[in-house]
Structures are given as structure tokens and as C-alpha cells.
Amino acid sequence: MRRWKFLVSVFCLFPVTVLYAHAAQPVRFLMLENRTMPFGLVERGPNARLILAAGITKDWQDALARELGRTPAYVLLPRKRQDMAVAQKLVDLRCFISPDWLTSEQVALYDWPAPFFDVEERLIGPLDGKPVESMEELSGARIGTVLGYSYRSLDPLFADGRAKRDDASNEMSSLLKQAAGRTDFMVMRTLDFEYQQKIDPKLKKLRLTPVVVSRFSMYCARPKYSSVTLRDLSNAQTRLLNTGVLNGILAKYR
């Protein structure tokens, strides 16, 4: 009789143990290792490992992990190794991404909840430079871009030689080129530019032009194998948006 009572007690506790182990399991976010502020501050931590120390991506994903009842873990990799990380099932979520950046085969590897905010890219130019209001006025211009990025509205200009593409490793490097006068214009997210201009007075000599290069929605994509269900992800994201968490995060960097 005692043996049966013991077994019943064990089996009663078993589901609780499983649930606790699941709740304690980290949610692994896939991140670009060359993020720059305000979206991400990447630093060298113990053993020279890259860590995500601050920024919009960290604030949002930390909040999302908490809402899911999990702890956040960050897998920082260069762009060319990101697809490999998904293929090897090394990550659970890939936030701050747009399906427009992926092939149809890559898009099919994920479940896509509703987007959580929109991003705009514009041309940045010198404050005292010639006003530019359309793509047609960019003939002969050298335009700062980021290596590996596609700019659909500008690609025809680059393809036929009407404008020259000038690649940098990230947006910040491209911005420094622009500030030094090494490019005529550059492409940058408006949120990034406003943040950098706020913290660096030297950038006051630059301005946003009216030329919008792209507008796109940002998502937290869920690889099909992820331990985070699409329903849980969508519900957690909705709760954060409805309670103003994202607006509070963005306000810190504007």
C-alpha cells in the first residue's frame, strides 16, 4: 500500500516538474552580431564572447521573454551564418526581421505572427547640400549602403550606373563616411539617424531628405520547430503592445 502511495505521489508531481522545466527553459533569440545603437549595443563579454548589452532589440526581446515566462538568451552571428543557425535548430525566435528580406523558401521555414512595428529608411544628406526630393535626382551620386543589404528602390540606379553604391560594414560606419563627406548621400533608418544625431552634435550638419527608400514592417518570426508556440508568441506580443511597452522602449531612444 505504501508503495502505491509513493508511486501516485511521484506521478502527481511529474507534470509539475515538466512544466517547471519548460518554464525555466531559455528562449533563444537570433541576433546580428554587428547591430549598432539604438537597435543594439554588442560588446565583448567574458572569454571574449559577444553579448547584447543594450538597445531596442534587447529591451523588446527581454520583455517578450518575460511575458512568455522564459529567460532570454542571445545567439549573435554574422548575417551569412543566420540561416545555418535556423537549419541546425539553434534558435527559437528571430525578431526584427521582415519576410521581404528573405526568399520564399526561407519565409516558409517560419510562422509569422502580426508585425509589431514599422520602420522607414530615408536618404541622409548634408544640411547645406542641394535639396533632393526624388530618386530621379540621384544621377551621378555616391550613396552609402550596408554590405549585403538589398535596396529595391535604388537597385535600378546602381544596376545601370546612374548612381554608385558605396558599401560599409554597418549603418554607423556608413554614417561616419557621410559625415566625413566621402559619400553624397546614405541610406539609414530614421529612428537610427535621429538617435545618432541626438547624441553626436557633429551630425547636426546632416539631415533627413524627403526621399523614402523603403518602409517595412518588423516581425518576430518563429522557426517551425521552436518550443515557443505561435499562439503563445502572438498573445505575448499583443499584451506588450496593448500595455504600451513598445512605445515606452522607443521613447528611450528618440
Side-chain angles (χ1 to χ4, degrees):
M1 187 68 178
R2 289 181 180 175
R3 181 183 179 187
W4 282 110
K5 286 183 178 179
F6 173 76
L7 290 175
V8 169
S9 298
V10 169
F11 283 114
C12 287
L13 288 172
F14 182 74
V16 176
T17 304
V18 171
L19 288 173
Y20 179 81
H22 179 73
Q25 181 182 359
V27 55
R28 302 164 298 172
F29 292 99
L30 180 58
M31 289 288 303
L32 280 175
E33 68 178 17
N34 64 342
R35 283 284 188 191
T36 55
M37 290 294 282
F39 276 85
L41 175 62
V42 178
E43 297 179 338
R44 291 284 177 185
N47 301 319
R49 293 185 63 182
L50 292 175
I51 59 171
L52 182 63
I56 294 169
T57 53
K58 185 178 192 310
D59 293 349
W60 172 254
Q61 292 170 161
D62 284 357
L64 186 58
R66 285 194 299 270
E67 198 65 30
L68 291 166
R70 310 272 283 272
T71 56
Y74 293 103
V75 180
L76 281 79
L77 293 171
R79 183 172 302 278
K80 291 182 179 180
R81 294 180 59 195
Q82 300 235 318
D83 293 333
M84 176 206 71
V86 174
Q88 295 182 357
K89 301 183 179 181
L90 300 178
V91 296
D92 300 300
L93 294 176
R94 187 176 184 179
C95 296
F96 295 88
I97 189 170
S98 169
D100 292 341
W101 302 343
L102 306 177
T103 65
S104 57
E105 291 80 9
Q106 290 170 323
V107 170
L109 297 174
Y110 302 90
D111 291 321
W112 299 85
F116 61 97
F117 85 116
D118 294 329
V119 171
E120 176 188 81
E121 289 181 318
R122 286 201 206 179
L123 283 184
I124 311 297
L127 185 62
D128 58 355
K130 177 184 175 182
V132 174
E133 297 186 357
S134 70
M135 298 285 185
E136 287 70 29
E137 299 176 62
L138 297 175
S139 180
R142 180 179 291 272
I143 301 175
T145 51
V146 175
L147 184 66
Y149 280 38
S150 175
Y151 304 89
R152 294 182 182 178
S153 61
L154 294 174
D155 283 345
L157 300 178
F158 298 145
D160 63 17
R162 280 179 290 163
K164 172 71 174 177
R165 177 171 178 147
D166 191 309
D167 281 337
S169 60
N170 55 46
E171 289 92 345
M172 193 60 209
S173 296
S174 186
L175 183 61
L176 293 176
K177 280 187 179 183
Q178 178 66 39
R182 293 169 57 191
T183 52
D184 300 306
F185 301 97
M186 68 158 295
V187 182
M188 198 170 199
R189 291 182 291 256
T190 55
L191 184 60
D192 295 61
F193 177 69
E194 289 166 352
Y195 171 80
Q196 295 297 339
Q197 198 173 50
K198 181 175 71 173
I199 65 172
D200 188 349
K202 296 192 298 295
L203 299 179
K204 296 295 183 183
K205 64 183 180 180
L206 303 177
R207 66 175 173 181
L208 288 167
T209 75
V211 180
V212 176
V213 175
S214 68
R215 288 191 181 96
F216 47 87
S217 295
M218 301 293 272
Y219 295 76
C220 275
R222 172 196 177 273
K224 298 283 189 180
Y225 61 80
S226 176
S227 62
V228 178
T229 68
L230 180 59
R231 179 178 179 179
D232 286 347
L233 173 59
S234 297
N235 289 342
Q237 184 175 277
T238 298
R239 289 192 297 270
L240 292 177
L241 293 174
N242 289 344
T243 54
V245 170
L246 179 62
N247 288 336
I249 291 170
L250 296 178
K252 291 169 52 180
Y253 301 96
R254 285 185 165 137

